Amino acid sequence: KADIALYRTNQFGDLLYSYLIGDTSTNVPTDAVENSDGTYSICGYINDGQQNQSSKDFFLLRMDDAGTILWENTYGIAGVPDAVWCMTRSTDGGVFLAGSSDDHGLVCKADAFGQIVWSYRIDSLSGDNKSYFTCITPTFDGGCTVAGWRMISSKIGRAHV
């Protein structure tokens, strides 16, 4: 079992508050952003403690500046390991997320209430290699660009965008 530990400092590094968020699962946060309305979004993955990694799903939560959780959602395909590694704000108050789903690159957009607007699993650029997205940034037209890596015969391959 692992909980999400959240700490907030001011511009001088003074600790303003700290919170632990969790349940009976292992919760691993991978990214956090401040939203344009002053709330915070945190994403990551959850593992229920089973040895089978296919039980892994990803989560997204939003909390206010006082540390109150406004909403939290868990996403994933049953029997498929899903994880998000990074996110960035979108222009409409939502977020873009990037990661992996069953060894395919995963990119999705959630609205300001955590509802998935769209989601794509993207195969590697060639063959049955494994792809993982680890970077995401918004684009000027309201979309996003993702980057990551792919595994080729158990060796790390070239990055792709």
Side-chain angles (χ1 to χ4, degrees), residues 30-158:
T30 56
D31 207 353
V33 297
E34 183 176 10
N35 301 301
S36 58
D37 62 0
T39 61
Y40 300 92
S41 292
I42 301 169
C43 69
Y45 65 89
I46 300 169
N47 192 313
D48 67 6
Q50 304 292 323
Q51 293 296 326
N52 181 357
Q53 288 295 304
S54 67
S55 62
K56 190 179 349 179
D57 288 323
F58 68 94
F59 70 87
L60 177 63
L61 67 86
R62 187 167 286 200
M63 61 188 299
D64 64 19
D65 194 43
T68 303
I69 296 176
L70 304 173
W71 51 258
E72 57 184 313
N73 292 322
T74 302
Y75 317 89
I77 301 169
V80 173
D82 302 298
V84 292
W85 305 109
C86 55
M87 75 176 152
T88 190
R89 296 188 316 188
S90 62
T91 57
D92 61 359
V95 293
F96 294 110
L97 302 137
S100 61
S101 175
D102 196 25
D103 297 329
H104 302 277
L106 173 69
V107 60
C108 54
K109 172 151 183 349
D111 66 18
F113 304 102
Q115 300 303 307
I116 299 295
V117 177
W118 52 259
S119 177
Y120 297 106
R121 280 178 39 176
I122 301 171
D123 294 330
S124 67
L125 295 177
S126 63
D128 60 353
N129 301 312
K130 300 175 181 181
S131 294
Y132 305 92
F133 292 135
T134 55
C135 306
I136 191 165
T137 189
T139 57
F140 72 94
D141 63 357
C144 65
T145 298
V146 295
W149 57 277
R150 66 183 177 142
M151 187 175 287
I152 305 168
S153 303
S154 300
K155 295 180 183 176
I156 295 177
R158 291 178 235 155

